[in-house]
Amino acid sequence: MTHWKYSKLAIATALGLSMSLPVHAQDAPEAAAEAAPSGPVAAGFEMKRCVNMGNALEAPNGAPWGKNYAKADYQKIAAAGFDTVRIPVRWSDYTGPAPDYQIHPEFAGLVDNNLKWALTSGLNVIVNVHHFDEMMENPAEQMERFRAIWDQVSLRYSRLPGNVWFEVLNEPNKKLEGKLMRQAQALSLATIRRDNPDRIVIFGGEEWSGIRSLATNLATDDPNVVYTFHYYDPFSFTHQEATWLGENMPKGKRGWGSAEDKAELANAIEIASAFRDAVKRPVFLGEFGVNDPVNNKQRVKWVGAVKTAMEGADIPWCLWAYGNTFALHSEENGWDEDMLAVLTAD
């Protein structure tokens, strides 16, 4: 195991000392392959169908984006045929001042409840650090707060079953890229390993963890690291009428299913499969979905095509989202039965 190697790296980077980072995947495909362990890899990572618990615990402090979830929601998800939930959490909005950056107990308790409800429903759980916006704008300044968050989360959940997995940071973007992003990944891994020596840890690459940035991730011979990517292509289709994007919202209306659209999806499968085979460890689709105002037949068509393509390549997937936006389920109407049918079909 290489946990001590990463601990020394974390200490060196925290002190501003010069130490080369472990080789990263985009330097050469051979480097990523060489970093793969020779023994069993991520044996506990058993998932197929997942849904994100979106727009709840990752909303800004004091500005809810939708309803919080309850025990009944997790029971419905399990009964519908899903085996995993991804719980996005904006921990950074609920920390106290330096140097401890203590997470607010009330908020932590709310997260605790969601994990408990998921586990008692028989679901695997991915819990992450989501929407740490300050980290994206000023990584060096926020690195210690990032470490402190994982120090607390890792210890807090260290006694939970092995099917609770830690995703270190959602969608690195803006200034969190290259060596700084890999430094953050190495630092979080070293921190987590102190209390969770064998738990699954998940990395997603730079530029919003898009399919083409998989190779930007930190390579490691830690056998319990897996990789994730997000897929919303074509963006001009999936994010139609996404008003929160302002001027960047796609213009006009379009459907999905042209030869070009299908070729784009096939290329994504090739990229993810090739990366998985090179690093010799699991890779999964952590987010995909279509905005609610888009014609639902077109939404179902795209989601069904992505799901089928991923499963055909043995790539697990996680839909965005169960509720609130891009919703699969609502309190008013229950399940989107057409969407649920394509997601759960064998």
Side-chain angles (χ1 to χ4, degrees):
M1 302 294 286
T2 59
H3 306 152
W4 176 239
K5 176 180 72 175
Y6 284 107
S7 297
K8 288 192 292 184
L9 172 65
I11 293 167
T13 52
L15 294 175
L17 301 177
S18 175
M19 177 178 284
S20 59
L21 286 161
V23 65
H24 43 84
Q26 85 273 21
D27 282 343
E30 300 80 24
E34 287 170 2
S38 57
V41 177
F45 188 71
E46 296 181 0
M47 68 169 283
K48 181 178 179 182
R49 297 170 177 165
C50 170
V51 66
N52 280 274
M53 308 307 289
N55 296 108
L57 296 174
E58 87 278 19
N61 188 354
W65 286 345
K67 82 177 190 83
N68 283 323
Y69 300 114
K71 182 178 182 179
D73 293 301
Y74 292 96
Q75 293 172 330
K76 289 176 185 177
I77 289 165
F82 295 91
D83 54 53
T84 306
V85 289
R86 180 172 179 257
I87 303 179
V89 184
R90 193 188 291 240
W91 300 100
S92 57
D93 261 27
Y94 296 89
T95 60
D100 297 331
Y101 300 104
Q102 183 177 2
I103 295 170
H104 299 177
E106 298 83 1
F107 181 72
L110 184 58
V111 180
D112 292 349
N113 285 337
N114 280 260
L115 268 68
K116 177 181 68 177
W117 296 330
L119 289 170
T120 57
S121 299
L123 296 162
N124 306 316
V125 181
I126 300 167
V127 62
N128 76 358
V129 171
H130 209 95
H131 288 315
F132 192 169
D133 296 337
E134 301 93 332
M135 183 78 172
M136 311 306 172
E137 296 286 355
N138 196 333
E141 183 180 277
Q142 295 295 323
M143 198 71 73
E144 176 56 22
R145 182 153 71 120
F146 177 63
R147 187 210 59 77
I149 288 170
W150 270 117
D151 191 33
Q152 296 172 78
V153 173
S154 175
L155 178 60
R156 188 178 191 91
Y157 298 135
S158 60
R159 295 181 180 232
L160 291 183
N163 65 328
V164 175
W165 307 321
F166 294 160
E167 182 182 339
V168 299
L169 188 63
N170 179 70
E171 295 185 344
N173 62 83
K174 296 181 181 176
K175 295 180 181 178
L176 188 63
E177 59 182 358
K179 290 184 178 180
L180 274 173
M181 184 199 73
R182 290 183 288 277
Q183 176 184 328
Q185 290 177 329
L187 180 59
S188 57
L189 181 61
T191 303
I192 289 166
R193 285 291 174 249
R194 286 205 305 269
D195 299 307
N196 295 270
D198 301 311
R199 193 175 300 279
I200 298 294
V201 174
I202 300 166
F203 290 160
E206 64 189 29
E207 291 294 328
W208 309 92
S209 297
I211 182 68
R212 292 164 187 82
S213 69
L214 265 168
T216 67
N217 281 290
L218 178 77
T220 173
D221 55 1
D222 185 309
N224 288 313
V225 167
V226 303
Y227 295 100
T228 189
F229 66 96
H230 296 176
Y231 188 75
Y232 290 102
D233 297 335
F235 191 80
S236 59
F237 169 70
T238 63
H239 281 68
Q240 293 172 91
E241 300 189 50
T243 54
W244 63 90
L245 295 173
E247 293 183 358
N248 295 320
M249 183 180 74
K251 307 301 188 292
K253 294 185 178 182
R254 58 159 292 180
W256 184 88
S258 68
E260 182 180 357
D261 290 338
K262 293 175 180 177
E264 183 177 45
L265 176 57
N267 183 57
I269 295 294
E270 290 179 6
I271 293 170
S273 299
F275 180 81
R276 176 193 60 200
D277 295 345
V279 299
K280 297 181 175 61
R281 62 182 67 236
V283 172
F284 76 99
L285 172 55
E287 288 185 19
F288 73 113
V290 186
N291 196 22
D292 303 273
V294 177
N295 177 275
N296 205 51
K297 288 184 178 180
Q298 292 294 313
R299 293 177 74 233
V300 171
K301 183 179 181 181
W302 182 88
V303 165
V306 174
K307 173 258 187 186
T308 299
M310 294 295 164
E311 289 188 355
D314 198 24
I315 299 171
W317 49 262
C318 198
L319 181 79
W320 189 278
Y322 169 72
N324 294 323
T325 62
F326 290 50
L328 176 62
H329 181 278
S330 69
E331 288 187 328
E332 298 78 19
N333 302 314
W335 293 106
D336 179 332
E337 295 292 350
D338 293 335
M339 187 77 77
L340 182 63
V342 299
L343 286 168
T344 56
D346 291 323

